[in-house]
Amino acid sequence: MSRVSASSRLPRLRRPWQVVLVFCLLYLGTILAINDFDVKAFVTIGSCYSSCDFDLAQGCREGTENGYDGQYAYYIARDPGGSAGCMDVAGYRYQRILLPMIGYALSFGVNDLIPVVFVVTNLIALLVSVALLEDLLVALKANRWYALVYGLFFGTVIGVRLSTVEPLAYALVIGAIWLTQQEKTRPWLQALLFLGAAFTKETTLPFVAAFMLYDAVHRRWWDAIRLGAVVGIPFALWQIYLYSWLGEFGAGSGGGGATPFEIVPYNGVWRIFTDTENIRVFLIVGTLAFGVAVLPSLWGIWATLREFWQRREEAHLYAYLHFTNAALLAFVPFSTYREYLGIFRFIVPMVMTHLLFAALRYRHKRPLIYSTLWLICLLFVVAG
């Protein structure tokens, strides 16, 4: 009787979400180990805000560190009603309320559990996203392994590591898209998923707009009105509440130091040079932004406009979704393009819609194959 080799006893990774799970567990375990197993490494708390008396007009005191966006969700989860002084622009941070509330509810008052809840929530959300995306790709007769482009994209993986809201927000969006492809669509559930996504990150609202436009073009007026009402009314009421409480609306182009959305297409990239007057910075950051965001955005705008022109009302839903997200990249603020983490996080929805649209129309051609180049960005995880 032959002995079974050790390699044959190892579990085989048969699905993309399993590969993402293994990678993320190794990555998160490494981060935890090099930070002496301090779970607060997952929320990157900066000394600038830790005293919770921050004044945006004065900025950070000399010698303090900014930290990163996960810290704001941590502060809200720790003290939902009393954390306005722990963040740069309180209204902007508080509008992304769903992830902090999950942290608040599941940490049971134990502050050290909040980062763990964030990581576990985002990891589960990412795995579910990849599994649903696999299903959508298979329905388009495309290879399910293209789902790894999204699952191992640096912008989604770093969201899990830094406890930002992208993995959860776009998991809800993908869930809503997945429902449209089922025999029983459940429009109310779909609307509620979009509502949850809007309360997780406001940049999911272009998906709502694209769905409403698609319904309107096909004269499904009630579907468009229902989606707009279910998402729009609670979101507007939350904005009004934030204004009455904090004196500012949450909707905007970013937190402290944010610049407005651009009017001239892709001016946010050019301003990397005009505002810094540093050709080296422009060549490095600008080239990165052009490769990962601008070029795919330009292709997306061209390909979807071609779809609309050729097919008119027969254009697929995925064309509406991809056009909306690709076109949005043209007007992204300079403050997002100048920060490499910011632009990676911002293009997460375009990566997802590119996969769906390319699988729909180009499943055996270059646009889908070239999407795998986004996987190169995963090398940025070496930065921690």
Side-chain angles (χ1 to χ4, degrees):
M1 182 176 181
S2 62
R3 298 174 61 184
V4 179
S5 65
S7 60
S8 66
R9 292 195 298 268
L10 294 176
R12 295 183 63 184
L13 302 178
R14 299 177 182 274
R15 300 278 297 278
W17 70 264
Q18 295 172 329
V19 176
V20 175
L21 173 61
V22 171
F23 177 85
C24 286
L25 289 178
L26 292 173
Y27 177 45
L28 296 171
T30 301
I31 294 298
L32 197 59
I34 63 178
N35 284 279
D36 298 323
F37 295 93
D38 181 4
V39 294
K40 288 183 179 177
F42 293 130
V43 290
T44 54
I45 294 174
S47 54
C48 175
Y49 305 101
S50 59
S51 60
C52 290
D53 59 356
F54 179 77
D55 184 345
L56 184 60
Q58 296 180 359
C60 292
R61 290 187 293 270
E62 186 177 355
T64 59
E65 298 177 347
N66 280 317
Y68 203 62
D69 289 6
Q71 66 185 325
Y72 306 125
Y74 170 79
Y75 288 132
I76 296 172
R78 189 181 67 178
D79 182 10
S83 297
C86 307
M87 50 199 72
D88 51 0
V89 181
Y92 179 75
R93 303 302 177 182
Y94 265 100
Q95 74 175 336
R96 301 175 174 183
I97 195 63
L98 184 57
L99 182 61
M101 286 299 93
I102 292 173
Y104 173 78
L106 298 183
S107 63
F108 306 104
V110 180
N111 292 340
D112 284 347
L113 279 180
I114 295 173
V116 178
V117 173
F118 285 167
V119 168
V120 172
T121 299
N122 272 335
L123 180 56
I124 292 173
L126 178 57
L127 298 177
V128 171
S129 299
V130 175
L132 294 181
L133 192 55
E134 289 179 46
D135 197 46
L136 292 172
L137 290 172
V138 170
L140 296 171
K141 296 181 172 56
N143 193 314
R144 70 170 67 245
W145 289 97
Y146 281 113
L148 281 181
V149 174
Y150 179 85
L152 292 181
F153 178 60
F154 179 67
T156 52
V157 172
I158 203 65
V160 179
R161 182 262 180 270
L162 294 175
S163 297
T164 59
V165 295
E166 289 78 18
L168 177 59
Y170 295 112
L172 294 168
V173 168
I174 292 176
I177 296 171
W178 183 83
L179 283 175
T180 66
Q181 306 304 309
Q182 309 310 303
E183 291 185 7
K184 191 173 181 180
T185 58
R186 298 182 176 89
W188 285 101
L189 177 57
Q190 180 190 74
L192 289 174
L193 287 175
F194 275 126
L195 176 61
F199 277 106
T200 307
K201 189 172 185 180
E202 71 289 346
T203 54
T204 58
L205 289 174
F207 283 93
V208 177
F211 263 81
M212 292 177 64
L213 178 60
Y214 180 77
D215 286 335
V217 167
H218 291 83
R219 298 175 180 81
R220 295 198 291 262
W221 306 112
W222 169 235
D223 289 341
I225 293 170
R226 174 177 49 213
L227 180 57
V230 171
V231 178
I233 293 175
F235 187 80
L237 291 174
W238 180 237
Q239 294 293 319
I240 293 170
Y241 175 74
L242 291 176
Y243 185 83
S244 66
W245 172 32
L246 301 169
E248 59 189 15
F249 293 112
S253 61
T259 59
F261 281 90
E262 300 292 339
I263 298 176
V264 178
Y266 303 106
N267 192 46
V269 179
W270 175 243
R271 284 185 59 188
I272 296 172
F273 174 68
T274 59
D275 283 43
T276 65
E277 296 184 350
N278 188 320
I279 189 63
R280 290 184 179 179
V281 171
F282 175 67
L283 289 176
I284 295 172
V285 181
T287 300
L288 175 65
F290 184 82
V292 303
V294 175
L295 189 59
S297 169
L298 287 169
W299 179 85
I301 294 171
W302 172 83
T304 52
L305 287 177
R306 184 167 175 259
E307 170 96 353
F308 296 140
W309 176 257
Q310 292 180 341
R311 298 178 186 273
R312 304 299 198 276
E313 292 187 9
E314 299 303 316
H316 197 276
L317 171 64
Y318 293 162
Y320 288 81
L321 299 179
H322 192 45
F323 173 79
T324 304
N325 285 282
L328 185 60
L329 263 292
F331 307 101
V332 167
F334 157 64
S335 54
T336 299
Y337 272 115
R338 73 184 175 192
E339 181 201 357
Y340 87 100
L341 283 178
I343 193 60
F344 276 123
R345 291 169 55 200
F346 201 92
I347 66 174
V348 165
M350 186 180 70
V351 172
M352 178 237 296
T353 58
H354 176 99
L355 287 172
L356 292 175
F357 181 70
L360 174 72
R361 299 297 181 216
Y362 305 92
R363 64 177 177 268
H364 299 306
K365 296 183 180 179
R366 291 177 181 176
L368 190 56
I369 296 171
Y370 283 170
S371 70
T372 59
L373 293 174
W374 269 314
L375 291 173
I376 298 173
C377 301
L378 195 61
L379 294 174
F380 280 95
V381 299
V382 299

